[in-house]
Amino acid sequence: MTEQKIPLTPVPPLRRIYRSDVRAARRRLTGRIRKTPVFHTAVPGPSGPVPVTLKLEYLQHGGTFKVRGSYNALLSERVCPEHVVIASGGNAGIAAALAAAGMGKTCTVVVPESAPHTKVAAMWSHGAEVRWHGTTYAEAYDHACEITAERGALQLHAYDLPAVVAGAGVIELEIEEQVRGRPPILVAVGGGGLIGGIAAAGGRRREIVGVEPEGIPTLNSALAAGKPVDVEISSITADALGASRIGEIALDVARRYGVRSALVTDDVITDARDYLWREFRIVVELAGAVALAAILSGAYVPREGERPVVVLCGANTELPVL
């Protein structure tokens, strides 16, 4: 009996992201997003005050950097369907709903059962249909794929879509105009859309450091293994940084340009958020304070004379938890 070989489905080649993609995204986003401000200050490190520049990206529309990527993805489509679908634990869904509404389209967000009510309410406020499915992002994503096929919709990915990554990278181009020299940039990492875009824009021109909760080390584990690997999710930041593995695009950029990872504990993340409120009356969600936690804890120590840029990336939280 002749053995029948099952044909393998070809794996599409990785679509690499470069500075040129980020520059094109910036042109598309003109008039759609805010150029968020920076704030020069000093924060306490283990050995004394550390000069830093805070990039106040939490002031972006929708309270999240992800709006940049969602708008860029929609604007990149030559013929964009009237309906948009995305799976999200929170901020990506808010961003997709906001961008879809801004372009006169409808949006469905599939969220896991653990999605915070605050973020679901924000999706509703922008007119999105919200569906709960499964207990993990992966289960929600599978259901989003089904809805996309049924409706002939455009499906966005929360962090591993070229246009989404390029849109996030516009933050780096703004920092170039706002801050002298090329200081390091510290960025929180979940699925990697933010750090992938910022590193693609900066290239080898500057150091980019990904800061991750110890309980969700997606970038750290992938850099060690040389490929994306699944990690256990165990962190208070899971609603925003809850991807179980780094995106292919982000890891490619990180390896090309020497991005490195710093790990911080949940306790330090909480301290960093409390510090921002106590000292500056800045309200961010826990994920928004992750990059600053690396400075406060000493997980990242700037070189002599450096003033690193710390991206505060999101503010979708409930005020009573502060």
Side-chain angles (χ1 to χ4, degrees):
M1 182 176 178
T2 304
E3 181 181 354
Q4 296 292 321
K5 292 186 177 181
I6 300 174
L8 298 175
T9 302
V11 178
L14 176 68
R15 166 70 165 84
R16 283 189 154 183
I17 298 299
Y18 296 94
R19 183 177 173 89
S20 58
D21 297 298
V22 180
R23 291 172 65 89
R26 185 174 196 178
R27 291 191 292 270
R28 293 189 196 98
L29 293 174
T30 300
R32 300 277 186 178
I33 54 125
R34 293 174 179 148
K35 180 178 181 179
T36 54
V38 297
F39 172 45
H40 305 294
T41 187
V43 299
S47 301
V50 179
V52 298
T53 297
L54 304 180
K55 174 65 168 169
L56 309 185
E57 184 61 16
Y58 69 93
L59 296 175
Q60 190 54 257
H61 296 297
T64 172
F65 75 92
K66 289 179 179 286
V67 170
R68 298 172 183 265
S70 291
Y71 260 124
N72 190 46
L74 297 183
L75 293 166
S76 298
E77 293 289 317
R78 293 183 179 179
V79 179
C80 189
E82 291 304 307
H83 194 69
V84 177
V85 178
I86 190 169
S88 169
N91 286 336
I94 295 170
L98 192 156
M103 295 184 63
K105 301 183 184 300
T106 55
C107 179
T108 295
V109 184
V110 183
V111 300
E113 295 170 3
S114 58
H117 177 75
T118 301
K119 296 187 177 183
V120 171
M123 298 171 203
W124 283 331
S125 74
H126 297 300
E129 172 195 21
V130 179
R131 291 194 179 188
W132 283 263
H133 186 87
T135 58
T136 65
Y137 170 79
E139 291 173 330
Y141 178 79
D142 288 342
H143 189 55
C145 292
E146 295 171 0
I147 296 174
T148 299
E150 291 170 1
R151 301 187 182 182
L154 171 67
Q155 185 172 359
L156 300 184
H157 195 285
Y159 55 84
D160 206 21
L161 189 69
V164 166
V165 178
V170 175
I171 293 172
E172 197 279 341
L173 301 184
E174 293 178 3
I175 291 172
E176 288 182 12
E177 298 175 350
Q178 296 169 315
V179 179
R180 292 181 180 178
R182 294 173 180 166
I185 301 178
L186 276 63
V187 185
V189 180
L194 179 58
I195 198 166
I198 288 179
R204 298 193 181 280
R205 297 172 182 83
R206 69 166 84 230
E207 179 184 13
I208 309 296
V209 180
V211 186
E212 307 176 83
E214 287 185 351
I216 323 179
T218 56
L219 177 60
N220 192 278
S221 298
L223 290 173
K227 62 181 180 179
V229 294
D230 289 329
V231 302
E232 294 293 329
I233 298 173
S234 178
S235 171
I236 55 175
T237 64
D239 67 307
L241 304 180
S244 60
R245 64 163 53 198
I246 198 76
E248 297 275 359
I249 297 171
L251 181 59
D252 173 69
V253 174
R255 295 181 71 184
R256 271 191 285 145
Y257 298 132
V259 173
R260 64 189 182 89
S261 165
L263 301 178
V264 292
T265 66
D266 281 356
D267 286 345
V268 175
I269 294 169
T270 300
D271 290 345
R273 186 175 70 159
D274 291 347
Y275 173 81
L276 286 168
W277 169 246
R278 185 174 65 252
E279 295 297 325
F280 307 115
R281 291 301 186 262
I282 288 176
V283 179
V284 296
E285 61 191 285
L286 287 163
V290 166
L292 180 62
I295 301 287
L296 301 185
S297 66
Y300 175 81
V301 179
R303 289 180 285 270
E304 184 71 26
E306 281 186 339
R307 179 188 288 272
V309 178
V310 177
V311 180
L312 306 182
C313 58
N316 289 304
T317 188
E318 292 196 36
L319 294 179
V321 302
L322 290 171

